[in-house]
Amino acid sequence: MGIKKRKIIELEDAVVKFAGDSGDGMQMSGAQFSDTSAFVGNDISTFPDYPSEIRAPQGTIAGVSGFQVRIGSKGIKTPGDRADVLVAMNPAALKTNLKWVKLGATIIIDSDSFDVKNYQKAGFNSDPLEDGTLDGFNVVRAPITYLNFTAVKELGLDSKTAEKTKNQFAVGILYWLFDRNLEYGEKFLDDRFKTKPVLAEANKKVLRAGYHYAETIETLESRFQIIHRGERKGKFRNITGNTAVAWGFIAASERSGRPLFLGSYPITPASEILQELAKRKQLGVKVFQAEDEIAGINSAIGASFAGNLGVTTTSGPGLALKSEALGLAVITEIPLVLVDVQRGGPSTGLPTKTEQGDLMQALYGRSGESPAVVIAASSPSDCFDYAYMACKIAIEHMTPVVLLTDGYLANGSELWNIPKIADLPPIVPPIVPDNTPDFKPYRRDPQKLNRFWAIPGQEGLRHRIGSLEKEDVTGYVSHDPLNHEKMVRLREEKVQRVANYVPELKVWGEPTGDLLAVGWGGTYGAMISAVEELQQQGKSISLAQFNYLKPLPRNTEAVLKGFRKIIICELNMGQFAMYLSALYPQFKYLRYNKIQGLPFMIEELKRKFNQVLEGKE
Amino acid sequence: MITKNDTSSSQPVLTRNDFKLDQPVKWCAGCGDYAILSAVQNALPEIGMKKEDIVFVSGIGCSSRFPYYINTYGFHGLHGRAAAVATGIKIANPMLSVWIVTGDGDSMAIGGNHFIHILRRNIDVNILIFNNKIYGLTKGQYSPTSPKGLITKTSPDGTIEPPFIPGELAMGAQGTFFARALDTEPKQMTDIFIKAAQHDGTSVVEILQNCVIFNNKIHQEITGKDVKDDRVIYLEHGKPMIFGVEHDKGLVLRDFGLQVVRIGENGIAEKDLLVHDAFTPDIALHYLLTRMTYPEFPVATGVIRSFPCEPYDQALERQVIRSMEESRIKTLEGLINTGNVWQL
Ligand SMILES: Cc1ncc(C[n+]2csc(CCOP(=O)(O)OP(=O)(O)O)c2C)c(N)n1
Ligand code: SF4
Ligand SMILES: [Mg+2]
């Protein structure tokens, strides 16, 4: 056959980035490649990076859609800082992604798309394939557009449809490059185009064409092999944060016996939770797409009053609209979970980008003294656990809970070790038995301080609750000054006592040392990766990543006390730092903040931590 | 299909006293709200529901204090948002009889969006709008139903806004039930509330209510004892549209519009008058009747429209039950172990 034997390069992990026009199928290609990698036993972490315009003009920077996946032998916690392999379907995709590519990386390019008009549209002054821009990279220039048409010619597709399969050519090259079995890729296409067998056939043809092309050309000097450790055991699937949240809710509904009701209004990047739950009627889930966010949360409050597990999902601008009703859930002491998938703000801001700018809004963005439990998930798959815990706390403590995730967790994915639902901690709703003598709606549990749930339809428990201040125990409307102060303090104390029922703060590394890196929520992957790398170099650094934000874990102060320096890293201007400074003013907090709509990179965190360790902050 | 008016004989007979509370009612003396409360307490024993299956939901306003005064389950929510809370309750448990009590400001201003959408969806709840054409609780600012020119605290020179007619809005939003009642007519109110409860879908009852403090006698021009019979027509399904002290005036349809005629004049007899059909799906005549204003016309009261149509909550319940029956996936455990799962 004349195919020359290539060098095999063994890698612990590799980062692959797919980039093209938003119509180029980059998200699908990414999913296909990562699914296959997971199937052969790699650990994976993915992150799509798509524009807020649905189809910005072709070939423009604004229209570039990307999908990054990191595959590795084990312990992959982020989709990676920089790419080892970049697929750039046009000059704009190259332009936007070149700065995120490792030196020496392999760049696969559709050379047919690099004409003068296109590279100028992308903002290149001269042809980047010729002017030295790509010096130092291993560039594979494949005439993908042409070869794609040739591959599907005999199927007689119209040119628009044929155009849509060209991503598979690049995917084919990658399958060869990483020695992936084509069968998995073909099966993915069969599933994806179940109802359109012609398209499935066309895509498969192109996939094979790309693979064989890679096999024959000279530019590809070597192939990559991800070291296989086979350390993971169990049943896994790839899961995004948004899906994990939706499933966490269903799990909580099953374990608590309370039917799940979602009242929500679509908003990026939270809509997939609404969409996923809308598909789950077979599990008894009721979804109400409301006329706005206000109706969404109010309907969830109504559903909870009527005995359902009422939840609502949104992003920052929607949280603003829901704040009045969140206060209503606080004063009526109704179980409610509100998910805020944070995005860049303020206002409409950066709808498709990630940020941690809503912490203060979640903690304090309401009228009056209005305490709610606030928790945050820290990886795509643990969104399941924290959605579950949010429901457990809401129900057992009769309180609204705000669950913060972010665009990075919501759309990113990773392998999830599928749990047994029966192994999840039980959820016991504090429901009042029918005809309880002398029932009073605001009588409380002496330990948790929660009131009890009496549900319309239950006999002998008719009562009235609402947004006006309540008299202690009876729940009657009361304007009494001392009663008000008592109720404000009771509601706060009830939330504080949640700390007795949630895990303590974990420290990754030694409990004492030179530097404690502090993060919260979705930055976990980058934080732990950076901290572990420095620990391996013998540096005295540990990590505390917060998931429980209000109330803070019981041992927070004890953890902070153990370190000479504390640095709080956030994707905002320092909201958590401000919060900790207010609650524990005895410590000095250094800050590291990034507000670019992008997650932390491991290398920038390491650089900062090293500076601090060397006393050069 | 879920039937809410299941009058099974095993239920104890209820009376208005079952719905009274020992808490003080705190509306101003002489407020029209008292009469409405009383009429509701008279209606509830007649709707065939157990008392624990009835829920009153409200927004904010004088009118919205209503749930605190009636012995059912009650939820007093936020200004304008009762429709959304009630929607959640009804979807969660379609067997409940859910009532919304709201004001003209609560439902037409801040809650206008929710008002039109609950109607469009046809959620099976009953909405009682206490229309006093003023903001009572906040002490006398004009509302979206205040007549043009009304002088209030926020319109010292008279309002320059044309008012909403709630029924017009209800029908524009594809409402399936609309009725109008007077706070001065307790028997009619009770009867209308019972009919509202019986309707499958969103029932809107606008009650012309007097606020003695901030908008006293705003409806007097038509509801005054001495003038009412000539200025109000009480519509009943299947009956000719007759009104007047002498029972001698009626309505006919002419030149694409309604016209008031006198029986005995120009050869008009009772048989020439329109006969009210509340149940027809055709909205045209209901719309014209709703829009009638004094002095050109009598103001229409009674059940103007009652067109039964599957409510949202029942349709959703049906979809849920069907997919639970048809799907092979019965639990979350089943779902998460289906599809792309890898055993490593
Ligand atoms: C968010 C919010 N905005 C404003 C108010 C103040 N407010 C309370 S009731 C009301 C108007 C009530 O008028 P209406 O609905 O006609 O009820 P009425 O008191 O006349 O029965 C207003 C403006 C509020 N409680 N909440
Ligand atoms: S202010 Fe008007 S509407 Fe409110 S209670 Fe007094 S009379 Fe009734
Ligand atoms: Mg009013």
Side-chain angles (χ1 to χ4, degrees):
Chain A
M1 286 265 288
I3 294 170
K4 105 174 180 219
K5 226 164 158 31
R6 315 287 169 82
K7 194 164 70 197
I8 305 276
I9 300 176
E10 287 205 328
L11 295 172
E12 279 287 341
D13 70 78
V15 177
V16 180
K17 173 103 189 225
F18 297 82
D21 241 1
S22 34
D24 277 346
M26 292 297 98
Q27 306 299 325
M28 184 188 91
S29 306
Q32 181 184 17
F33 184 70
S34 36
D35 270 17
T36 296
S37 301
F39 201 84
V40 299
N42 292 152
D43 200 355
I44 58 172
S45 170
T46 79
F47 185 59
D49 166 24
Y50 53 93
S52 67
E53 290 80 11
I54 302 302
R55 290 274 191 278
Q58 243 188 357
T60 60
I61 297 280
V64 175
S65 165
F67 187 100
Q68 186 160 318
V69 54
R70 181 157 166 226
I71 53 181
S73 50
K74 61 157 193 179
I76 297 290
K77 296 201 176 71
T78 77
D81 286 0
R82 292 174 195 279
D84 297 287
V85 180
L86 169 69
V87 173
M89 298 299 282
N90 66 20
L94 181 68
K95 178 88 185 174
T96 36
N97 285 285
L98 205 51
K99 53 182 175 294
W100 308 118
V101 172
K102 282 186 196 157
L103 206 64
T106 301
I107 301 181
I108 301 165
I109 270 170
D110 178 5
S111 55
D112 291 336
S113 69
F114 278 72
D115 58 19
V116 180
K117 199 175 105 231
N118 274 336
Y119 70 66
Q120 284 180 349
K121 216 196 285 184
F124 287 112
N125 294 325
S126 53
D127 186 351
L129 302 185
E130 307 298 342
D131 65 5
T133 303
L134 299 178
D135 286 357
F137 296 105
N138 177 26
V139 183
V140 181
R141 311 171 181 208
I144 293 182
T145 304
Y146 169 76
L147 293 172
N148 169 59
F149 274 116
T150 324
V152 294
K153 195 150 84 202
E154 61 186 53
L155 294 174
L157 305 175
D158 61 274
S159 62
K160 240 179 132 176
T161 312
E163 174 89 358
K164 287 221 154 64
T165 57
K166 74 178 178 196
N167 61 72
Q168 287 301 307
F169 199 90
V171 177
I173 297 177
L174 282 170
Y175 270 61
W176 181 84
L177 202 55
F178 285 90
D179 193 17
R180 298 286 181 242
N181 193 329
L182 275 181
E183 264 175 43
Y184 298 131
E186 293 182 351
K187 186 176 166 301
F188 179 95
L189 293 169
D190 282 332
D191 283 351
R192 182 60 65 112
F193 298 105
K194 217 178 283 171
T195 55
K196 295 174 185 136
V198 181
L199 281 188
E201 194 45 49
N203 277 283
K204 287 196 280 187
K205 255 184 177 319
V206 179
L207 176 70
R208 287 192 291 264
Y211 188 93
H212 297 308
Y213 172 83
E215 210 168 23
T216 26
I217 56 161
E218 297 286 312
T219 2
L220 287 167
E221 288 287 336
S222 47
R223 300 174 86 170
F224 300 123
Q225 179 126 45
I226 303 295
I227 298 164
H228 187 68
R229 299 195 186 277
E231 281 175 6
R232 277 185 177 244
K233 290 268 173 303
K235 244 182 179 183
F236 290 86
R237 67 185 303 143
N238 189 17
I239 195 167
T240 64
N242 275 345
T243 304
V245 166
W247 291 358
F249 286 158
I250 300 175
S253 163
E254 286 187 4
R255 294 287 279 145
S256 65
R258 296 287 100 205
L260 180 61
F261 173 97
L262 169 70
S264 181
Y265 189 76
I267 184 169
T268 304
S271 301
E272 290 82 11
I273 308 174
L274 166 63
Q275 289 161 201
E276 171 59 28
L277 287 173
K279 288 191 291 196
R280 298 301 161 216
K281 289 199 183 80
Q282 75 271 43
L283 299 178
V285 179
K286 285 181 178 168
V287 168
F288 171 61
Q289 182 177 315
E291 56 273 23
D292 59 23
E293 281 84 352
I294 297 172
I297 184 171
N298 278 281
S299 66
I301 289 172
S304 277
F305 178 65
N308 277 14
L309 166 55
V311 301
T312 186
T313 51
T314 192
S315 185
L319 178 60
L321 287 174
K322 289 176 195 289
S323 64
E324 189 195 18
L326 202 54
L328 174 64
V330 168
I331 202 165
T332 53
E333 306 195 31
I334 281 270
L336 175 83
V337 176
L338 187 163
V339 182
D340 172 13
V341 184
Q342 299 168 94
R343 65 189 216 184
S347 189
T348 308
L350 301 171
T352 59
K353 303 293 174 191
T354 200
E355 205 157 282
Q356 295 184 304
D358 296 346
L359 176 62
M360 284 297 166
Q361 194 186 192
L363 287 167
Y364 299 118
R366 290 174 289 288
S367 62
E369 296 293 346
S370 187
V373 174
V374 180
I375 70 180
S378 47
S379 78
S381 70
D382 81 12
C383 284
F384 177 88
D385 307 296
Y386 288 100
Y388 186 87
M389 279 307 287
C391 297
K392 180 173 160 69
I393 295 168
I395 289 174
E396 293 183 341
H397 297 258
M398 295 289 282
T399 176
V401 177
V402 179
L403 169 62
L404 295 173
T405 71
D406 56 49
Y408 170 77
L409 297 182
N411 294 311
S413 77
E414 65 183 357
L415 283 192
W416 179 47
N417 194 349
I418 301 172
K420 283 247 167 300
I421 302 303
D423 293 345
L424 298 171
I427 301 178
V428 186
I431 296 175
V432 189
D434 280 18
N435 294 312
T436 296
D438 197 30
F439 163 69
K440 296 279 186 288
Y442 277 73
R443 188 170 278 146
R444 289 170 194 281
D445 175 89
Q447 265 82 47
K448 293 197 185 96
L449 291 184
N450 61 283
R451 67 179 199 94
F452 295 90
W453 210 353
I455 297 166
Q458 282 193 284
E459 246 178 58
L461 302 176
R462 284 175 292 164
H463 67 282
R464 291 137 290 279
I465 59 173
S467 52
L468 286 167
E469 182 60 286
K470 299 286 165 284
E471 184 178 81
D472 190 22
V473 183
T474 64
Y476 293 150
V477 172
S478 167
H479 293 93
D480 181 76
L482 293 180
N483 176 76
H484 176 55
E485 178 151 352
K486 182 176 189 185
M487 293 302 277
V488 166
R489 294 188 186 283
L490 271 171
R491 288 187 287 260
E492 176 67 31
E493 178 62 15
K494 177 183 75 170
V495 167
Q496 289 303 334
R497 289 196 188 180
V498 169
N500 298 332
Y501 300 86
V502 298
E504 292 202 332
L505 181 63
K506 176 176 168 182
V507 179
W508 278 270
E510 296 300 322
T512 57
D514 289 344
L515 179 60
L516 180 69
V518 171
W520 64 273
T523 54
Y524 165 74
M527 293 287 286
I528 186 70
S529 305
V531 167
E532 280 180 348
E533 284 182 35
L534 295 188
Q535 284 170 348
Q536 275 157 23
Q537 295 167 17
K539 308 247 160 95
S540 171
I541 181 171
S542 298
L543 169 69
Q545 186 80 13
F546 285 77
N547 295 104
Y548 294 90
L549 304 172
K550 167 134 193 176
L552 287 168
R554 294 182 302 276
N555 61 334
T556 300
E557 190 179 356
V559 167
L560 297 175
K561 216 187 273 174
F563 294 86
R564 284 205 307 115
K565 289 180 186 171
I566 301 167
I567 185 163
I568 304 181
C569 309
E570 302 177 73
L571 301 172
N572 60 32
M573 298 248 287
Q575 298 184 19
F576 191 58
M578 193 152 93
Y579 179 62
L580 279 186
S581 312
L583 294 179
Y584 302 106
Q586 64 270 43
F587 304 113
K588 183 168 178 264
Y589 303 95
L590 302 170
R591 302 172 180 210
Y592 187 54
N593 304 100
K594 177 174 177 179
I595 318 121
Q596 300 170 7
L598 296 169
F600 280 127
M601 293 208 297
I602 299 165
E603 67 184 36
E604 66 195 358
L605 289 173
K606 280 191 337 198
R607 199 180 314 125
K608 183 70 197 176
F609 297 156
N610 274 327
Q611 275 173 14
V612 175
L613 285 164
E614 288 157 19
K616 286 189 283 199
E617 68 263 21
Chain B
M1 176 119 157
I2 295 135
T3 47
K4 56 178 172 163
N5 299 314
D6 168 26
T7 25
S8 60
S9 50
S10 61
Q11 279 177 37
V13 178
L14 300 175
T15 71
R16 57 178 281 118
N17 286 331
D18 286 298
F19 298 100
K20 286 193 164 169
L21 276 174
D22 55 4
Q23 290 292 299
V25 180
K26 293 181 185 161
W27 288 311
C28 306
C31 175
D33 292 358
Y34 284 97
I36 309 174
L37 174 62
S38 172
V40 169
Q41 285 165 336
N42 283 333
L44 292 183
E46 309 299 321
I47 65 170
M49 296 293 297
K50 291 197 284 186
K51 51 193 176 188
E52 46 276 336
D53 288 343
I54 302 172
V55 185
F56 275 81
V57 185
S58 66
I60 300 292
C62 295
S63 37
S64 288
R65 295 290 171 93
F66 194 96
Y68 291 122
Y69 305 145
I70 188 152
N71 196 355
T72 62
Y73 280 95
F75 194 95
H76 176 228
L78 298 174
H79 195 23
R81 319 301 175 197
V85 173
T87 296
I89 293 173
K90 186 68 186 179
I91 292 175
N93 184 356
M95 304 301 281
L96 298 172
S97 170
V98 180
W99 298 71
I100 294 171
V101 177
T102 178
D104 40 307
D106 195 60
S107 62
M108 304 277 111
I110 192 166
N113 194 26
H114 311 306
F115 180 76
I116 56 176
H117 288 285
I118 196 170
L119 282 156
R120 178 177 65 79
R121 297 188 183 107
N122 201 32
I123 308 273
D124 191 10
V125 302
N126 312 303
I127 305 178
L128 310 181
I129 304 175
F130 293 18
N131 187 1
N132 53 16
K133 306 197 172 180
I134 197 85
Y135 288 175
L137 191 70
T138 46
K139 302 194 166 80
Q141 303 83 6
Y142 67 89
S143 94
T145 60
S146 298
K148 205 166 176 177
L150 189 72
I151 292 176
T152 71
K153 283 182 184 161
T154 46
S155 56
D157 302 311
T159 67
I160 49 175
E161 301 179 17
F164 269 145
I165 298 172
E168 208 176 0
L169 207 59
M171 287 184 201
Q174 304 167 37
T176 55
F177 182 105
F178 179 73
R180 195 181 281 129
L182 309 177
D183 64 357
T184 48
E185 293 290 329
K187 277 215 179 63
Q188 285 178 5
M189 269 196 289
T190 299
D191 187 53
I192 289 169
F193 296 156
I194 294 168
K195 293 200 165 90
Q198 285 162 347
H199 172 73
D200 268 335
T202 315
S203 308
V204 177
V205 183
E206 176 198 8
I207 302 131
L208 303 186
Q209 173 245 331
N210 193 42
C211 167
V212 278
I213 306 295
F214 297 112
N215 212 10
N216 198 18
K217 304 197 165 157
I218 187 69
H219 307 299
Q220 188 76 2
E221 186 179 57
I222 56 162
T223 61
K225 271 203 163 50
D226 41 336
V227 295
K228 195 203 85 186
D229 288 344
D230 277 324
R231 298 180 183 175
V232 169
I233 181 168
Y234 186 63
L235 297 169
E236 288 176 279
H237 177 75
K239 298 211 175 140
M241 299 185 193
I242 295 183
F243 67 105
V245 186
E246 309 288 330
H247 232 69
D248 59 344
K249 286 186 272 190
L251 293 171
V252 297
L253 201 56
R254 242 178 236 164
D255 304 331
F256 305 109
L258 291 167
Q259 214 171 61
V260 176
V261 292
R262 200 176 275 271
I263 299 171
E265 269 179 17
N266 302 322
I268 295 278
E270 195 178 309
K271 68 169 175 36
D272 300 316
L273 301 181
L274 285 166
V275 173
H276 184 44
D277 181 359
F279 297 118
T280 175
D282 185 358
I283 209 161
L285 192 54
H286 297 158
Y287 187 68
L288 294 178
L289 290 166
T290 303
R291 282 174 54 94
M292 291 194 305
T293 47
Y294 176 78
E296 201 194 340
F297 290 105
V299 170
T301 62
V303 177
I304 297 171
R305 176 173 176 76
S306 175
F307 160 59
C309 175
E310 187 182 45
Y312 175 107
D313 38 289
Q314 287 179 21
L316 177 63
E317 194 77 3
R318 208 161 31 77
Q319 284 190 341
V320 168
I321 290 168
R322 200 186 47 216
S323 65
M324 287 175 84
E325 282 166 2
E326 285 175 0
S327 174
R328 288 201 330 274
I329 295 172
K330 303 288 182 198
T331 59
L332 182 66
E333 189 92 40
L335 176 68
I336 61 184
N337 285 290
T338 305
N340 262 346
V341 173
W342 303 289
Q343 182 78 51
L344 300 182

